[in-house]
Amino acid sequence: MQVIRKIKEMQASSDRLRREGKSIGLVPTMGYLHEGHLSLVRKAKALSNAVVVSIFVNPTQFGPGEDFEKYPRDEEEDRTKLEAEGVDFLLIPEAREMYPSGYQTYVEVTEVAKGLCGDFRPGHFRGVATVVAKFFNIVKPHIAVFGEKDYQQLLVIKRMVEDLNFDIEIISGTLIREEDGIAMSSRNAYLSPENRRKATILYRSLKEGKTSFESGERRTFALCKTVKESLESVGEISIQYVEIRDAETLEKIEIVNGPAVIAVAAIVGGVRLIDNIIIVREEKPFCYL
Ligand code: PAF
């Protein structure tokens, strides 16, 4: 695995790969890698000839008072994990090269970035869209893989790619859970054992919502009420939102009669956690080869 820290060097390597007719798969990350990230890496490997993983704790997607400084970092361990997966390039750019002094260009996806996490983390998706657009220009991938754990982020990126005509296919990777049901996240490292136990309620409450849907309930307010009541059954959890949205557009819906996702965000022991469950997936047209 080649470790690259300079933007020009990555661009030159990508140009060379493209000249050789190789397809490039990108997995953008902020490091502190877990099985969820590695499942995205495996997907990229299966779908491209050369895999690039980027590690960059992107300052523009953190708001004031958020955890930019204390975001967990472990470059050595990440390198070992990526080597073991057979990753071709690890890109670790420097913040001063990504955002040199005088930097003033940002990408803003308007509607999809509104509501849900967009309400609680102003400017977050602007930072995400900007850094991902930069990585697309630096790595020049044919495909890029993003996890469904950050469901709104996935749709923001898909919208940006469509709107700005990036010639890149966005691939989604399913959400990977720990044995206790908690969605894998680098931020789980912040949870004390007691808060970690409490945090398992997020997935349990989402499953209750899904069960209610499967038993015939279609009204989103009733489904959300089930999820909220379940979350509230554990004390000391502060709910930011419980919402059911169209799983393709992220528009608000009142009745579930198509692709839909239940999304939650809550603070457990001072740690902000998000999770989601897809209750109806989009039916992909069947393709005979
Ligand atoms: O999901 C993440 O880890 C980050 O938001 C991303 C996509 C790497 C952009 O910084």
Side-chain angles (χ1 to χ4, degrees):
M1 183 174 75
Q2 199 179 326
V3 180
I4 297 185
R5 293 180 196 272
K6 293 285 167 217
I7 291 172
K8 283 263 174 276
E9 207 183 308
M10 185 70 246
Q11 285 171 322
S13 296
S14 293
D15 286 343
R16 198 183 55 247
L17 288 167
R18 279 181 167 259
R19 272 197 308 276
E20 289 167 357
K22 295 202 172 122
S23 63
I24 304 171
L26 169 67
V27 183
T29 80
M30 297 206 299
Y32 211 68
L33 304 174
H34 49 66
E35 262 310 299
H37 295 113
L38 301 183
S39 72
L40 306 181
V41 169
R42 287 172 205 138
K43 208 157 192 177
K45 254 191 103 64
L47 296 171
S48 51
N49 303 127
V51 173
V52 180
V53 174
S54 61
I55 294 183
F56 181 62
V57 184
N58 173 36
T60 64
Q61 69 188 74
F62 290 80
E66 288 191 346
D67 56 343
F68 173 69
E69 300 296 342
K70 72 163 191 176
Y71 194 85
R73 292 158 169 92
D74 191 343
E75 191 183 312
E76 270 314 298
E77 186 66 22
D78 288 347
R79 274 172 83 145
T80 309
K81 287 179 179 165
L82 295 175
E83 294 262 16
E85 294 297 329
V87 166
D88 302 279
F89 296 90
L90 169 57
L91 171 63
I92 313 184
E94 286 165 12
R96 59 171 182 255
E97 210 195 347
M98 289 293 277
Y99 299 109
S101 81
Y103 187 91
Q104 43 188 293
T105 304
Y106 293 88
V107 178
E108 191 133 6
V109 177
T110 56
E111 298 313 304
V112 190
K114 280 191 190 139
L116 305 174
C117 291
D119 280 351
F120 292 89
R121 304 189 67 191
H124 170 67
F125 290 117
R126 179 184 190 248
V128 170
T130 301
V131 82
V132 171
K134 285 170 72 66
F135 278 125
F136 286 170
N137 286 327
I138 295 166
V139 177
K140 310 179 192 204
H142 296 82
I143 64 152
V145 192
F146 293 84
E148 284 180 349
K149 153 85 181 0
D150 297 296
Y151 201 82
Q152 191 173 13
Q153 166 173 287
L154 172 66
L155 293 202
V156 165
I157 301 301
K158 281 188 175 173
R159 189 72 255 165
M160 176 186 79
V161 163
E162 181 88 16
D163 291 353
L164 296 184
N165 310 99
F166 280 107
D167 192 10
I168 298 170
E169 190 185 350
I170 300 304
I171 309 284
S172 58
T174 43
L175 192 158
I176 308 290
R177 299 185 179 280
E178 304 280 1
E179 263 178 31
D180 58 9
I182 293 188
M184 285 197 183
S185 162
S186 309
R187 289 190 170 97
N188 290 347
Y190 299 149
L191 290 166
S192 67
E194 194 201 336
N195 286 325
R196 169 132 193 165
R197 265 192 305 281
K198 281 189 190 155
T200 59
I201 191 62
L202 266 74
Y203 183 44
R204 283 186 279 127
S205 66
L206 287 168
K207 280 197 295 188
E208 282 190 34
K210 187 166 182 175
T211 304
S212 170
F213 170 78
E214 284 164 354
S215 314
E217 182 59 81
R218 293 292 178 269
R219 298 163 304 165
T220 54
F221 85 87
L223 292 166
C224 287
K225 188 163 171 273
T226 300
V227 176
K228 268 188 199 139
E229 282 171 1
S230 169
L231 280 170
E232 281 160 0
S233 69
V234 174
E236 296 164 59
I237 287 191
S238 155
I239 302 173
Q240 287 193 333
Y241 62 76
V242 174
E243 286 200 40
I244 302 186
R245 298 278 185 118
D246 181 302
E248 294 304 303
T249 62
L250 224 56
E251 278 162 17
K252 289 189 180 176
I253 47 177
E254 284 180 11
I255 301 290
V256 181
N257 53 19
V261 58
I262 314 180
V264 304
I267 297 182
V268 184
V271 183
R272 184 175 188 275
L273 300 172
I274 59 170
D275 201 346
N276 69 75
I277 198 165
I278 295 176
I279 48 175
V280 186
R281 269 198 189 268
E282 184 205 18
E283 278 179 38
K284 293 259 179 332
F286 199 77
C287 174
Y288 291 95
L289 293 175

